Short mmCIF file of all heavy atoms in Angstrom, two decimals:
data_model
loop_
_atom_site.label_atom_id
_atom_site.label_comp_id
_atom_site.label_asym_id
_atom_site.label_seq_id
_atom_site.Cartn_x
_atom_site.Cartn_y
_atom_site.Cartn_z
N MET A 232 -11.83 225.03 45.11
CA MET A 232 -11.64 225.10 43.65
C MET A 232 -12.05 223.78 43.00
O MET A 232 -11.56 222.71 43.38
CB MET A 232 -10.15 225.34 43.36
CG MET A 232 -9.92 226.52 42.46
SD MET A 232 -8.18 226.69 42.08
CE MET A 232 -8.08 228.46 41.93
N ARG A 234 -12.59 221.06 39.72
CA ARG A 234 -11.63 220.51 38.76
C ARG A 234 -11.44 221.43 37.56
O ARG A 234 -10.33 221.58 37.06
CB ARG A 234 -12.12 219.12 38.31
CG ARG A 234 -11.06 218.35 37.53
CD ARG A 234 -11.49 216.91 37.26
NE ARG A 234 -10.55 216.29 36.35
CZ ARG A 234 -9.43 215.70 36.70
NH1 ARG A 234 -9.09 215.64 37.98
NH2 ARG A 234 -8.61 215.17 35.80
N PHE A 235 -12.53 222.05 37.12
CA PHE A 235 -12.43 222.93 35.96
C PHE A 235 -11.53 224.14 36.28
O PHE A 235 -10.70 224.55 35.47
CB PHE A 235 -13.84 223.40 35.54
CG PHE A 235 -13.83 224.31 34.35
CD1 PHE A 235 -13.47 223.83 33.09
CD2 PHE A 235 -14.16 225.66 34.47
CE1 PHE A 235 -13.45 224.67 31.98
CE2 PHE A 235 -14.13 226.50 33.37
CZ PHE A 235 -13.78 226.00 32.13
N LEU A 237 -9.18 224.20 38.59
CA LEU A 237 -7.81 223.70 38.74
C LEU A 237 -7.15 223.55 37.37
O LEU A 237 -5.98 223.86 37.17
CB LEU A 237 -7.81 222.36 39.47
CG LEU A 237 -8.12 222.41 40.97
CD1 LEU A 237 -8.28 221.01 41.55
CD2 LEU A 237 -7.04 223.17 41.73
N PHE A 246 1.08 227.77 30.37
CA PHE A 246 1.00 228.56 29.15
C PHE A 246 1.72 229.89 29.31
O PHE A 246 2.34 230.41 28.39
CB PHE A 246 -0.48 228.81 28.82
CG PHE A 246 -0.76 229.13 27.38
CD1 PHE A 246 -1.34 228.19 26.56
CD2 PHE A 246 -0.48 230.38 26.85
CE1 PHE A 246 -1.64 228.49 25.24
CE2 PHE A 246 -0.76 230.69 25.53
CZ PHE A 246 -1.33 229.72 24.72
N GLY A 269 -3.28 213.53 36.65
CA GLY A 269 -4.54 213.38 35.93
C GLY A 269 -4.86 214.64 35.11
O GLY A 269 -5.24 214.55 33.95
N ALA A 272 -2.62 215.01 32.02
CA ALA A 272 -3.03 214.10 30.94
C ALA A 272 -4.25 214.67 30.22
O ALA A 272 -4.33 214.66 28.98
CB ALA A 272 -3.34 212.72 31.51
N PHE A 288 8.85 216.09 28.55
CA PHE A 288 10.18 215.54 28.28
C PHE A 288 10.82 215.25 29.62
O PHE A 288 11.03 216.14 30.42
CB PHE A 288 11.03 216.48 27.42
CG PHE A 288 10.89 217.92 27.74
CD1 PHE A 288 11.76 218.53 28.61
CD2 PHE A 288 9.88 218.67 27.18
CE1 PHE A 288 11.64 219.87 28.93
CE2 PHE A 288 9.74 220.01 27.49
CZ PHE A 288 10.61 220.60 28.36
N GLY A 289 11.14 213.98 29.81
CA GLY A 289 11.67 213.57 31.11
C GLY A 289 10.64 213.87 32.19
O GLY A 289 9.49 213.44 32.08
N GLY A 301 5.74 223.83 11.72
CA GLY A 301 7.09 224.37 11.55
C GLY A 301 7.34 225.12 10.25
O GLY A 301 7.73 226.29 10.26
N TYR A 327 21.80 206.78 22.68
CA TYR A 327 21.29 205.41 22.53
C TYR A 327 21.98 204.42 23.46
O TYR A 327 21.39 203.40 23.82
CB TYR A 327 21.44 204.94 21.08
CG TYR A 327 20.43 205.55 20.15
CD1 TYR A 327 20.56 206.85 19.69
CD2 TYR A 327 19.29 204.83 19.75
CE1 TYR A 327 19.63 207.42 18.84
CE2 TYR A 327 18.35 205.39 18.90
CZ TYR A 327 18.52 206.68 18.45
OH TYR A 327 17.58 207.24 17.61
N PRO A 330 24.00 204.85 30.11
CA PRO A 330 25.20 205.63 30.38
C PRO A 330 26.42 204.99 29.72
O PRO A 330 26.57 203.79 29.74
CB PRO A 330 25.32 205.57 31.91
CG PRO A 330 24.61 204.32 32.30
CD PRO A 330 23.57 204.05 31.25
N ILE A 351 31.73 220.52 23.14
CA ILE A 351 30.67 221.18 22.37
C ILE A 351 29.29 220.69 22.81
O ILE A 351 28.37 221.47 22.98
CB ILE A 351 30.88 220.92 20.85
CG1 ILE A 351 32.02 221.80 20.35
CG2 ILE A 351 29.61 221.17 20.08
CD1 ILE A 351 32.50 221.42 18.97
N GLU A 396 13.98 198.84 17.85
CA GLU A 396 14.51 197.94 16.83
C GLU A 396 15.99 197.66 17.11
O GLU A 396 16.45 196.52 16.97
CB GLU A 396 14.37 198.55 15.44
CG GLU A 396 12.94 198.64 14.93
CD GLU A 396 12.24 199.93 15.36
OE1 GLU A 396 12.54 200.42 16.48
OE2 GLU A 396 11.41 200.43 14.59
N ALA A 399 16.26 195.30 19.94
CA ALA A 399 15.86 193.95 19.53
C ALA A 399 16.96 193.30 18.70
O ALA A 399 17.21 192.10 18.79
CB ALA A 399 14.56 194.01 18.75
N ARG A 406 29.28 194.60 23.96
CA ARG A 406 29.99 193.37 23.66
C ARG A 406 31.47 193.65 23.55
O ARG A 406 31.86 194.76 23.16
CB ARG A 406 29.54 192.82 22.30
CG ARG A 406 28.18 192.20 22.33
CD ARG A 406 28.04 191.29 21.14
NE ARG A 406 26.66 191.20 20.70
CZ ARG A 406 26.30 190.69 19.54
NH1 ARG A 406 27.22 190.26 18.70
NH2 ARG A 406 25.03 190.62 19.21
N GLY A 425 50.62 214.02 18.13
CA GLY A 425 51.79 214.41 17.38
C GLY A 425 51.47 215.36 16.23
O GLY A 425 52.36 215.87 15.59
N GLU A 426 50.22 215.54 15.99
CA GLU A 426 49.75 216.40 14.91
C GLU A 426 50.27 215.96 13.54
O GLU A 426 50.28 216.73 12.60
CB GLU A 426 50.13 217.86 15.15
CG GLU A 426 49.22 218.54 16.16
CD GLU A 426 49.59 219.98 16.39
OE1 GLU A 426 50.78 220.30 16.37
OE2 GLU A 426 48.69 220.76 16.60
#
Side-chain angles (χ1 to χ4, degrees):
Chain A
M232 233 184 212
R234 191 172 171 86
F235 181 68
L237 288 172
F246 202 105
F288 39 94
Y327 284 78
I351 284 168
E396 291 87 327
R406 286 200 210 166
E426 282 180 325

